[in-house]
C-alpha cells in the first residue's frame, strides 16, 4: 500500500476504491476507526468460519462496538475495545459459545496483534 498526503490527511487506492484517512472525521476515516473496524471484522470472519466448522452455521452476524476507551493522557491511545456479536442461526448451540469466543480470539490475526496492549472484550447474544 502507498499513502499520499492530501490537504487534510492521506489517501490510498485499494482494489475496492479510494480510502481517505484523516485525524478529522470531516475528511475521512479516523485511524482509530480503522483499527476498531479491523478487529471487529477480522473477529466476525473468524467466528463465522469457526461456527461453520463446528456445524453451527450463522445465518447472520452483526457486530456492535459497545465501547472504545482511549487514554487522552497518552496520545489518545486505545486501551479497551468491547465487541458485541449478535449471532443468528437455528443450529447454534449456546453451550458451545464460550469455546467459539475463545477460538475466535485465538485465531483472529488482528486480535492477536493487539493482545497485551489493548483490552479486548467480546460478548454475544443469540437470536433464532
Amino acid at each position: 500500500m502507498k499513502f499520499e498526503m492530501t490537504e487534510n490527511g492521506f489517501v490510498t487506492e485499494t482494489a475496492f476504491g479510494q480510502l481517505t484517512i484523516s485525524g478529522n472525521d470531516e475528511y475521512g476515516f479516523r485511524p482509530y476507526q480503522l483499527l476498531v473496524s479491523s478487529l471487529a471484522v477480522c473477529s466476525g470472519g473468524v467466528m463465522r468460519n469457526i461456527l461453520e466448522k463446528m456445524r453451527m452455521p450463522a445465518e447472520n452476524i452483526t457486530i456492535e462496538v459497545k465501547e472504545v476507551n482511549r487514554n487522552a493522557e497518552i496520545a489518545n491511545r486505545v486501551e479497551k475495545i468491547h465487541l458485541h456479536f449478535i449471532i443468528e442461526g437455528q443450529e447454534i448451540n449456546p453451550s458451545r459459545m464460550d469455546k467459539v469466543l475463545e477460538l475466535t480470539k485465538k485465531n483472529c490475526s488482528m486480535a492477536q496483534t493487539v493482545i497485551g496492549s489493548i483490552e479486548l472484550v467480546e460478548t454475544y447474544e443469540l437470536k433464532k
Side-chain angles (χ1 to χ4, degrees):
M1 296 178 87
K2 180 171 78 171
F3 297 87
E4 294 288 338
M5 188 173 76
T6 65
E7 183 178 346
N8 296 299
F10 288 84
V11 66
T12 188
E13 290 295 330
T14 73
F16 301 100
Q18 189 176 73
L19 177 62
T20 304
I21 305 164
S22 175
N24 184 333
D25 58 10
E26 292 179 28
Y27 300 108
F29 291 101
R30 297 188 60 201
Y32 90 91
Q33 292 170 321
L34 296 172
L35 173 69
V36 172
S37 298
S38 294
L39 281 162
V41 174
C42 178
S43 295
V46 169
M47 178 181 283
R48 172 194 236 169
N49 291 337
I50 289 167
L51 289 168
E52 287 283 333
K53 287 179 183 177
M54 294 177 90
R55 298 175 198 220
M56 302 187 301
E59 295 164 16
N60 188 51
I61 298 174
T62 301
I63 307 162
E64 294 180 354
V65 179
K66 293 285 193 178
E67 178 180 16
V68 177
N69 287 354
R70 299 178 73 188
N71 186 335
E73 294 178 12
I74 306 175
N76 256 346
R77 176 176 72 190
V78 176
E79 295 188 339
K80 178 180 179 181
I81 299 171
H82 177 182
L83 303 176
H84 183 72
F85 301 90
I86 302 166
I87 306 154
E88 298 176 45
Q90 299 298 317
E91 306 296 322
I92 308 292
N93 181 343
S95 68
R96 298 180 77 192
M97 283 306 299
D98 286 342
K99 184 67 172 176
V100 169
L101 284 179
E102 176 187 326
L103 289 170
T104 296
K105 190 178 278 187
K106 179 180 177 183
N107 290 288
C108 171
S109 61
M110 297 295 101
Q112 288 300 307
T113 298
V114 303
I115 283 180
S117 57
I118 297 175
E119 179 185 357
L120 183 58
V121 176
E122 297 173 319
T123 57
Y124 72 92
E125 65 184 272
L126 300 176
K127 288 189 172 184
K128 297 271 178 181

